[in-house]
Amino acid sequence: MKNLTRIFLICLIMTGFQISAQEGRKTIFLEFAYEKGLLYPDTNANKFGGNLSSDRRRPLENFNLYTSNVWSDEDKFVAAYAFKNAPKPKISGQSLTFLFEYMVLNKLGIGLSVTESEYKGSNFSLSKGNFLILANLLRQNTNLIDNVSNEQISRIESLLPYFQYSINPIANIRTLNFNVAYHFMENSIFDPYLRLYLGYGKYSSQDPKVYHSGIGIGTRVFLNNNIYLLTEVLASRYDAYDNRSSFLQIGNSEEIRVWTINEVNAKFGAGINF
């Protein structure tokens, strides 16, 4: 972000703050932008914690398996309250975008963009079911927890949501997007626009297909007839599909959606018009 600020300042100095009205814009735009995720509505962050992580949406995870047999009702209430109030899993992300746009009409532009996004996750924890399996395996096959009572194990189980870990990155997504933009003003230092995105790409870790769709509203601010800054608020959706086989149909696979990221982010950048 500091480097981006320096670029903006250099552009301002180079142009000498000479902002003038446009005398008809050129047809080609090239721009580079940084995007920062702000909100992730209806995104299930639990999907990114790994196979052993707790799904904090499942009612079963509110109840301790050891606690059910060892503690009093008051202790069970405390355990459920602690689980409910532990920090929930969340994701965050940032992206870099290079965009090309060609004006086919005075107010209509089409083009292509390449976006590389990186996401990280935090507040993941081991599920209580997997903790129970691990505890039983240790009891049966080792002497590591021979001196640990069921009551102590129950207390550890209650605190599991607070033994948290992070994953960085959980996803690196690269997409090639087709863009269509409507520009509301002509011959002005301001260029407000509405843009639609449709893209396809890859998710680097497991390599499924990723489909991207989005809509953004923003504006360019021209520093002179060629150089401009831009800002945009963008709502995006990434859907990842992969071929998975079921337990009963080994060898046969079908394409299913494995996760979805809904994101609202802020975009800042600079570009050139020629």
Side-chain angles (χ1 to χ4, degrees):
M1 197 65 182
K2 291 182 178 179
N3 292 334
L4 188 59
T5 303
R6 292 193 188 101
I7 293 174
F8 288 173
L9 291 175
I10 291 172
C11 290
L12 289 173
I13 293 172
M14 290 176 61
T15 57
F17 301 97
Q18 295 178 356
I19 301 176
S20 60
Q22 306 301 299
E23 297 177 356
R25 298 196 185 103
K26 312 300 189 300
T27 56
I28 295 177
F29 293 84
L30 294 177
E31 61 191 45
F32 181 79
Y34 169 80
E35 302 174 18
K36 178 64 177 177
L38 302 177
L39 299 171
Y40 296 88
D42 298 322
T43 297
N44 181 12
N46 298 279
K47 290 275 189 178
F48 302 94
N51 295 330
L52 300 180
S53 68
S54 171
D55 187 342
R56 302 292 295 280
R57 304 175 308 161
R58 295 178 59 192
L60 179 62
E61 286 291 320
N62 284 307
F63 300 97
N64 293 31
L65 299 173
Y66 267 96
T67 297
S68 299
N69 298 315
V70 178
W71 281 12
S72 65
D73 290 340
E74 290 77 9
D75 291 327
K76 295 174 186 177
F77 173 79
V78 171
Y81 179 86
F83 177 83
K84 181 179 179 181
N85 289 276
K88 302 297 189 295
K90 64 179 181 179
I91 65 173
S92 59
Q94 57 184 359
S95 305
L96 294 175
T97 297
F98 178 77
L99 181 141
F100 162 81
E101 183 177 49
Y102 179 78
M103 299 299 294
V104 293
L105 298 173
N106 287 342
K107 292 187 176 183
L108 182 65
I110 61 173
L112 297 172
S113 62
V114 177
T115 300
E116 180 162 353
S117 304
E118 180 181 89
Y119 296 92
K120 61 182 180 180
S122 58
N123 300 343
F124 299 119
S125 60
L126 181 67
S127 73
K128 295 184 178 182
N130 286 314
F131 171 77
L132 175 64
I133 294 173
L134 177 61
N136 285 334
L137 287 174
L138 290 175
R139 276 197 186 279
Q140 295 171 9
N141 299 289
T142 73
N143 57 1
L144 294 176
I145 60 172
D146 284 351
N147 297 324
V148 181
S149 67
N150 285 345
E151 194 170 288
Q152 290 173 315
I153 291 179
S154 182
R155 284 181 168 79
I156 295 173
E157 187 183 25
S158 296
L159 294 174
L160 278 178
Y162 294 95
F163 294 112
Q164 298 184 338
Y165 60 92
S166 299
I167 301 178
N168 186 15
I170 56 172
N172 286 309
I173 303 172
R174 300 175 185 89
T175 58
L176 175 65
N177 309 286
F178 174 73
N179 314 312
V180 178
Y182 179 80
H183 298 261
F184 296 94
M185 298 176 65
E186 299 179 68
N187 303 326
S188 169
I189 63 172
F190 296 104
D191 179 20
Y193 59 83
L194 178 70
R195 179 175 287 130
L196 301 177
Y197 300 84
L198 286 175
Y200 172 82
K202 286 289 185 179
Y203 164 47
S204 59
S205 296
Q206 298 178 356
D207 209 37
K209 303 174 183 177
V210 175
Y211 297 96
H212 172 227
S213 58
I215 182 170
I217 184 166
T219 186
R220 293 165 173 152
V221 181
F222 281 82
L223 305 178
N224 58 26
N225 287 340
N226 302 107
I227 298 174
Y228 61 87
L229 306 179
L230 68 99
T231 182
E232 181 179 336
V233 176
L234 172 64
S236 291
R237 178 184 176 99
Y238 293 94
D239 290 301
Y241 289 83
D242 199 9
N243 291 319
R244 301 286 175 88
S245 58
S246 66
F247 179 76
L248 298 177
Q249 295 180 324
I250 299 176
N252 297 324
S253 62
E254 60 178 344
E255 189 174 76
I256 62 172
R257 186 173 64 186
V258 292
W259 51 256
T260 296
I261 294 178
N262 297 306
E263 181 179 35
V264 177
N265 58 31
K267 177 190 288 189
F268 305 94
I272 185 170
N273 176 221
F274 60 93

